[in-house]
Amino acid sequence: MYSDSDTVLESTNYKFNNKVELNATPKKESPMKATKVVLALALTASLLFAFTSCTCKPELEEEKIGQPAAMTTPSAITPAPAIIKPAVVASGVVTIGDRVVDIGDRVFPVYFDYDKAELRSDTRETLGKLAQWLKVNPAIGLRIDGHCDERGSNEYNLALGETRAASAQKYLVYLGISPDRFEILSYGEEKPSCSDSNESCWSQNRRVDFTITAK
Amino acid sequence: MKTKTFIKSAKALQSITIALILTTALFTLPNLSNARVYLELDSPNLRRIPLAVAPLQPLCGASLNDDIAGLGRKILIDDLEFSTFFELLQDTANYLEKPQSCNISPGTFDYSNWSLIGAELLIKAGYSLSGKTLVAEFRLYDTLEGKMLIGKRYRSRAQNIRLLFHKFTNLVVEEITGLPGEFTSKIAFCGRLHGEPAQELYSCDYDGHELRQVTRNRSINVSPAWSKDTNKLLYTSYRNHNPDLYMIDFMKGKEVLVTNRKGLNVAADWSADDRHLTLMQRYDDHSEITIIDSTTGQSLRRLTNSQASQASPCWSPDNSQIAFVSDRSGTPHIYVTAVTGGPWRRLTKQDAYNADPDWSAHNDKVVFTSRVDGIFQICTINADGTGYRQLTFTRNNCEAPCWSPNGRHILFTKKINKIRQLMVMDEKGRNLKQITFDKIEKKGPSWSANR
């Protein structure tokens, strides 16, 4: 990697746009609001925030100084296509069976035991009500997101989240809902609904939640 | 006798020769025929060589700058202590030389001043700051034989002082062991401020300094992985509502989408020649291990075909095998299979939860996370399944280990005061050191070779 014969060292110290602001205080927002903020920002994220351009000079010269080799850092990123926010079919309060649920643009989550993707009896009961609701609302599609708590391997948790989402989907299909109304996605432990380190918080994070995607 | 010694190494000899040819105007050629063997890395009882770092002085005619002198000497000492090859002699107050006496060149000082206090090696360095330009000269001396081993002069902007000193300590370690130091390597990791939805990529030096934010897409970004040539960084981002794999190319100054196959495209690892990637992708609604072309993203092979979930693939250093995690026994364990597919071999049998394997490029060891009595600890095991060894014994979870570029250190995360920080220790679990102290929660680090 390192050669003594180099008279000019190449790109040894790539440099990104800004120093990190370590004292930035996290914004306090409700999880729901935060989700919307993410969505809104995602539209412009890659254009505005991905990388700012930086034409860096060579960082270091060794012995006799020649013409420095040009060096660049990421200046242009393929912009992400604009994201079309999923159509929100219904908002506010809906009735599912005997439950009244504020769905907003999402439906209630279902929960899992630690390190498990098997459906608990309460999870099956909730999914049963969801299936009934989907039957009377045939135009609605759902994205099923699988999540884990923070314990254990992040990458294994991504696999586990996918399995949890697939378990929920499989049960809904078993209850008679067409599989093409669902998409599954895993966030592993990367999108917690609660960010403390205790069992009450972990149990809320081991979940599958649903987002309405189409009508 | 291995070649990782001073005189036996043709590479070391060559580099000395080139370095000295470059610097003949300044320095005289040493008599290589009498050069001694400094360290044999494979020796079971590696001796630390006593080394002194003289107080830094202004180059002849330059003016005194206490900040540069203090910081420069600290970087030299910290780097060389980290390498674990040297016993740093700290007591500079008793040195016999006058400070600032313009005596870093051969012939301007008495070697016995240093050999008397036990130093077998001596580093002398001088600096000069004019405007924003910093010039630094370094010499490594063998005080017993009374000769110079390395002479180097660097010039850079003063803000690059850390890089400039790291460049020299890389050479010092290479001179003594035949393998360069790891001081110009970079660490990439995912970071998040508490409670924030966005998780961005960051980078820092091997010692935690020079922290930089790499991505600014306000989405969730995971699993950075440096290419072996250090020019590219892979990562997975949710910014298009699917975990797609992206590659930042630092040489070309751009970023490309590698694959956006529906479902997971995460935990990518580069083959030794950087041509192929192994990663987790969705097949049949669960995660399997695949191999794709690193340039086109084209799928080359589905390596696993199982009812269970697979995760975290990594290449063996000879590119012939892949280690990965599978929960097909009910809980996650580490398995190995040939890169061409075929039967699996279970590597870990201890405990109920083993994950995050990383295969050393320099010895046949796999480092991984294991849940021991409810706490995640860092362990290593030989690639043949023997030699299981627990390296951390802590009450706080340690996770996501990876090897340093030369395989002598292990980087991992540890929860300290509710925040996961980056930790480094040597390959046997000694010399544990916390390298980050800020408020960013850190995950999934990747350690590059020297850049």
Side-chain angles (χ1 to χ4, degrees):
Chain A
M1 183 56 39
Y2 185 84
S3 165
D4 283 297
S5 60
D6 291 343
T7 52
V8 177
L9 294 172
E10 51 199 306
S11 60
T12 43
N13 192 14
Y14 63 93
K15 190 171 177 335
F16 301 108
N17 33 11
N18 282 320
K19 282 265 185 183
V20 176
E21 291 172 31
L22 295 181
N23 293 325
T25 47
K27 292 184 199 105
K28 299 281 181 228
E29 293 187 74
S30 70
M32 189 70 104
K33 194 175 170 196
T35 308
K36 287 176 181 167
V37 169
V38 170
L39 278 172
L41 287 172
L43 289 166
T44 50
S46 60
L47 296 170
L48 288 178
F49 300 108
F51 290 97
T52 57
S53 67
C54 167
T55 48
C56 298
K57 290 173 186 165
E59 298 295 332
L60 186 123
E61 298 167 356
E62 179 180 343
E63 279 304 319
K64 299 291 181 189
I65 313 302
Q67 187 63 32
M71 185 236 162
T72 54
T73 53
S75 55
I77 289 214
T78 320
I83 293 154
I84 297 159
K85 192 177 174 185
V88 176
V89 177
S91 62
V93 175
V94 297
T95 304
I96 301 174
D98 56 351
R99 281 180 76 170
V100 177
V101 183
D102 181 356
I103 61 167
D105 63 348
R106 59 170 58 200
V107 191
F108 49 82
V110 295
Y111 299 100
F112 292 79
D113 289 334
Y114 178 51
D115 253 353
K116 299 276 188 260
E118 287 80 27
L119 304 177
R120 305 193 311 218
S121 60
D122 61 322
T123 298
R124 285 200 298 273
E125 192 184 332
T126 310
L127 288 175
K129 288 173 182 166
L130 178 59
Q132 287 172 21
W133 182 70
L134 287 169
K135 279 177 185 166
V136 298
N137 294 282
I140 285 179
L142 291 181
R143 198 184 76 217
I144 306 176
D145 293 342
H147 304 269
C148 305
D149 71 34
E150 64 173 1
R151 293 171 295 169
S153 157
N154 295 46
E155 290 172 353
Y156 175 71
N157 278 342
L158 285 164
L160 180 61
E162 194 140 276
T163 309
R164 283 178 175 165
S167 295
Q169 175 186 242
K170 205 170 168 183
Y171 190 66
L172 290 167
V173 171
Y174 167 78
L175 294 175
I177 313 297
S178 166
D180 57 18
R181 293 174 68 182
F182 304 115
E183 284 175 50
I184 63 171
L185 185 61
S186 172
Y187 281 96
E189 60 181 88
E190 313 300 339
K191 199 175 177 182
S193 71
C194 172
S195 52
D196 293 331
S197 296
N198 53 53
E199 177 50 37
S200 107
C201 199
W202 292 330
S203 66
Q204 294 174 53
N205 287 336
R206 295 188 301 266
R207 71 195 193 279
V208 158
D209 52 25
F210 305 89
T211 308
I212 291 170
T213 56
K215 63 174 174 180
Chain B
M1 173 80 65
K2 290 280 181 177
T3 57
K4 296 168 183 173
T5 55
F6 169 58
I7 188 60
K8 301 289 180 188
S9 164
K11 193 181 169 197
L13 269 176
Q14 187 189 16
S15 65
I16 298 160
T17 312
I18 294 168
L20 288 164
I21 287 169
L22 276 174
T23 54
T24 41
L26 285 166
F27 314 124
T28 54
L29 213 69
N31 181 0
L32 290 175
S33 61
N34 291 332
R36 36 192 287 254
V37 172
Y38 286 89
L39 279 184
E40 291 177 43
L41 291 185
D42 296 333
S43 159
N45 298 308
L46 202 60
R47 184 182 78 103
R48 288 180 181 234
I49 302 182
L51 178 148
V53 178
L56 269 58
Q57 24 174 292
L59 290 170
C60 301
S63 51
L64 189 67
N65 185 315
D66 286 338
D67 292 343
I68 289 175
L71 177 58
R73 186 159 184 272
K74 183 172 187 329
I75 296 167
L76 293 174
I77 288 173
D78 287 350
D79 283 0
L80 295 169
E81 278 196 333
F82 177 84
S83 76
T84 71
F85 297 130
F86 306 99
E87 177 197 347
L88 272 293
L89 303 177
Q90 298 282 8
D91 189 12
T92 59
N94 293 336
Y95 294 164
L96 300 174
E97 291 174 355
K98 287 184 221 152
Q100 301 157 46
S101 53
C102 196
N103 62 355
I104 67 171
S105 306
T108 62
F109 67 97
D110 188 350
Y111 290 111
S112 66
N113 287 348
W114 300 91
S115 54
L116 275 174
I117 63 164
E120 296 178 22
L121 294 172
L122 167 66
I123 288 174
K124 288 197 158 223
Y127 57 86
S128 115
L129 183 67
S130 53
K132 289 179 178 173
T133 301
L134 175 66
V135 175
E137 268 186 39
F138 300 94
R139 308 285 197 291
L140 174 66
Y141 292 105
D142 178 330
T143 59
L144 298 182
E145 309 229 341
K147 69 183 183 196
M148 192 184 74
L149 302 175
I150 306 176
K152 275 285 180 183
R153 177 193 288 155
Y154 299 96
R155 181 161 75 178
S156 181
R157 285 179 292 165
Q159 69 193 64
N160 296 327
I161 181 168
R162 305 194 70 87
L163 171 67
L164 196 151
F165 279 70
H166 291 325
K167 282 282 173 190
F168 177 68
T169 47
N170 274 347
L171 288 183
V172 172
V173 171
E174 181 160 17
E175 187 74 21
I176 300 307
T177 68
L179 285 175
E182 304 168 308
F183 311 119
T184 55
S185 57
K186 285 278 178 187
I187 292 168
F189 58 90
C190 334
R192 185 196 301 252
L193 288 164
H194 186 80
E196 285 280 285
Q199 177 168 284
E200 304 280 8
L201 293 195
Y202 295 79
S203 75
C204 65
D205 283 356
Y206 91 94
D207 53 9
H209 287 277
E210 303 293 326
L211 183 66
R212 297 281 188 276
Q213 188 170 338
V214 180
T215 60
R216 287 173 190 275
N217 56 40
R218 304 256 172 126
S219 182
I220 293 169
N221 303 282
V222 297
S223 290
W226 290 103
S227 61
K228 299 292 191 287
D229 69 8
T230 77
N231 291 327
K232 302 186 187 83
L233 184 66
L234 283 173
Y235 70 100
T236 298
S237 177
Y238 282 77
R239 64 179 185 246
N240 272 344
H241 295 276
N242 188 68
D244 301 331
L245 186 66
Y246 295 87
M247 181 175 71
I248 301 171
D249 185 329
F250 292 99
M251 294 303 277
K252 293 180 181 163
K254 64 172 190 177
E255 181 178 81
V256 294
L257 174 69
V258 180
T259 172
N260 60 354
R261 185 188 162 89
K262 201 159 206 170
L264 295 174
N265 298 282
V266 297
D269 187 43
W270 299 81
S271 63
D273 58 6
D274 283 337
R275 287 176 56 216
H276 300 139
L277 307 174
T278 180
L279 72 162
M280 300 159 61
Q281 291 188 302
R282 182 197 294 167
Y283 281 85
D284 306 331
D285 283 346
H286 66 274
S287 170
E288 295 277 18
I289 307 302
T290 63
I291 294 177
I292 67 173
D293 184 292
S294 66
T295 314
T296 63
Q298 187 190 359
S299 184
L300 300 176
R301 196 173 309 126
R302 174 179 172 181
L303 199 59
T304 56
N305 192 342
S306 153
Q307 299 291 312
S309 288
Q310 279 64 243
S312 301
C314 64
W315 299 85
S316 67
D318 66 359
N319 263 11
S320 70
Q321 299 174 88
I322 304 276
F324 60 96
V325 173
S326 172
D327 60 9
R328 78 166 176 188
S329 73
T331 59
H333 279 283
I334 298 168
Y335 296 78
V336 174
T337 189
V339 77
T340 48
W344 305 2
R345 168 167 66 86
R346 182 164 156 182
L347 191 61
T348 54
K349 300 184 173 65
Q350 301 77 15
D351 300 303
Y353 190 120
N354 297 296
D356 286 334
D358 189 35
W359 205 318
S360 169
H362 293 270
N363 55 32
D364 225 12
K365 277 194 166 65
V366 175
V367 65
F368 59 99
T369 308
S370 183
R371 194 175 65 211
V372 183
D373 298 330
I375 307 286
F376 290 94
Q377 308 282 3
I378 307 302
C379 302
T380 55
I381 195 166
N382 296 328
D384 63 4
T386 63
Y388 166 84
R389 184 165 180 169
Q390 183 179 339
L391 300 185
T392 58
F393 297 85
T394 159
R395 300 165 96 177
N396 298 332
N397 289 326
C398 297
E399 293 184 54
C402 67
W403 292 101
S404 69
N406 70 15
R408 291 192 60 87
H409 290 90
I410 295 166
L411 169 71
F412 59 99
T413 66
K414 181 180 180 184
K415 201 135 191 164
I416 296 172
N417 296 329
K418 297 186 177 177
I419 293 176
R420 281 187 246 203
Q421 298 288 4
L422 298 181
M423 310 289 294
V424 175
M425 63 187 175
D426 72 23
E427 61 193 321
K428 298 204 167 71
R430 300 168 307 198
N431 299 300
L432 183 65
K433 190 180 172 195
Q434 182 178 348
I435 63 168
T436 58
F437 300 88
D438 54 64
K439 292 178 182 168
I440 300 171
E441 169 94 354
K442 298 164 192 74
K443 295 178 178 179
S446 170
W447 198 338
S448 82
N450 282 335
R451 286 173 57 93

